[in-house]
DNA sequence: TTGTTAATGAAAACTATTTTCATTAACAGA
DNA sequence: TCTGTTAATGAAAATAGTTTTCATTAACAA
């Protein structure tokens, strides 16, 4: 049993093995503040471990999303993008502001408390009315950034 | 100049011609309350006008999104889905509740006023702070529906 | 009615993602 | 530490949604 990172417990607890590719992928994700695509991650991982294939990156990302360690987003550019879930490491909960022209993404934390309060209210109301078990939300704004407007 | 539907003005005003395929596609979209994919629309249109091709459907949808007559969504099933923008016809502004297991989508209008109030506040704050010209927002909740939970 | 030009459809191309399958590595138990 | 089981892996092929190409057709201004 190898060197224990903070996420190893969660990983093994879900019945998954801790492997070199998985460690490498999580390392890439935890060292960036960008919203990486599967290929971005593949290229980054590839520098240190050229043997790791793109297929494994996709498979690992699927697992990470399913156990809640990362989030998957669609910002409208035809590829999925990923980021570490905020509760895992020192990350703050945030939402996104997307420039529809250049694709720039801004993570904002302003008004998060006000948003959270409303989300609580709405989640409660919706889960009662529709008998849904709500597990997450997505809030984002789009428009033109300062350079593109 | 053909028969004028409500959207013809907007269409011609943007420099686009009014064509049979475009009318057919808009008709399909205005007669449903579902969230259709490009292929769904193609199949529906195909019944009445078998000559209309999938390519044209994609092209028309692009235009409709760009002039704001329809919205494009990604509900995570690997294909884009479309619906008429609410201001166009008698539609109400709503947000979505998505079942992550069976893919069911519920349009909800509950709390829309509270949400709207917050959105106003956040949009104002964000556009000032980041100098963004905000043109839209996306709010959705995901979880398990009554049948899947 | 006619000319200009955008719109169209079929087929091919593209691209992100998934599947297949033979090989390798993680790790529980000895 | 060694070993067997089984999940994880990588390469290549397959898939599927969407976009591009290009020759033809239809919209509509004059």
């Amino acid at each position: 049993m190898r060197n224990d990172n903070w996420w190893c417990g969660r990983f093994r607890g879900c019945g998954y093995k801790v492997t070199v590719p998985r460690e490498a992928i999580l390392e890439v994700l935890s060292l960036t503040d960008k919203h990486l695509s599967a290929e971005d991650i593949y290229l980054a991982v590839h520098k240190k471990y050229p043997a790791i294939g793109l297929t494994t990156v996709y498979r690992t990302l699927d697992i990470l999303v399913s156990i809640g360690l990362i989030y998957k987003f669609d910002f409208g550019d035809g590829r999925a993008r990923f980021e570490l879930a905020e509760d895992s490491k020192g990350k703050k909960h945030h939402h996104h502001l997307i420039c529809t022209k250049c694709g720039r993404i801004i993570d904002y934390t302003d008004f998060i408390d006000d948003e959270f309060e409303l989300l609580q209210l709405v989640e409660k109301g919706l889960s009662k009315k529709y008998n849904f078990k709500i597990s997450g939300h997505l809030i984002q704004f789009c428009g033109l950034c300062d350079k593109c407007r």
Side-chain angles (χ1 to χ4, degrees), chain A residues 87-104:
Chain A
D87 54 301
S88 321
K89 216 44 185 175
K91 283 213 164 184
K92 271 225 168 179
H93 184 61
H94 61 262
H95 291 144
H96 299 118
L97 189 51
I98 303 159
C99 178
T100 49
K101 194 167 175 198
C102 71
R104 187 152 68 110

Side-chain angles (χ1 to χ4, degrees), chain A residues 129-140:
Chain A
K129 176 162 179 182
Y130 298 105
N131 195 24
F132 245 74
K133 179 167 169 41
I134 293 179
S135 56
H137 61 258
L138 177 67
I139 294 190
Q140 54 192 39

Side-chain angles (χ1 to χ4, degrees), chain A residues 7 27 59 107 138:
Chain A
W7 47 267
E27 190 184 8
R59 278 189 289 230
D107 294 354
L138 177 67

Side-chain angles (χ1 to χ4, degrees), chain A residues 43-111:
Chain A
L43 291 173
V45 153
H46 193 79
K47 283 182 195 157
K48 197 165 170 186
Y49 302 96
I52 295 176
L54 183 56
T55 309
T56 297
V57 173
Y58 276 106
R59 278 189 289 230
T60 301
L61 291 171
D62 272 352
I63 293 172
L64 294 174
V65 168
S66 76
I67 64 179
L69 283 183
I70 65 174
Y71 294 137
K72 180 178 187 175
F73 292 98
D74 167 53
F75 293 135
D77 64 345
R79 69 200 64 198
R81 300 197 166 265
F82 302 86
E83 69 180 69
L84 222 53
E86 70 282 342
D87 54 301
S88 321
K89 216 44 185 175
K91 283 213 164 184
K92 271 225 168 179
H93 184 61
H94 61 262
H95 291 144
H96 299 118
L97 189 51
I98 303 159
C99 178
T100 49
K101 194 167 175 198
C102 71
R104 187 152 68 110
I105 310 291
I106 291 178
D107 294 354
Y108 73 86
T109 52
D110 317 84
F111 311 102

Side-chain angles (χ1 to χ4, degrees), chain A residues 8-19 22 63 67:
Chain A
C8 287
R10 175 102 69 108
F11 227 83
R12 292 209 181 86
C14 294
Y16 295 110
K17 293 179 179 172
V18 173
T19 67
R22 288 171 181 175
I63 293 172
I67 64 179

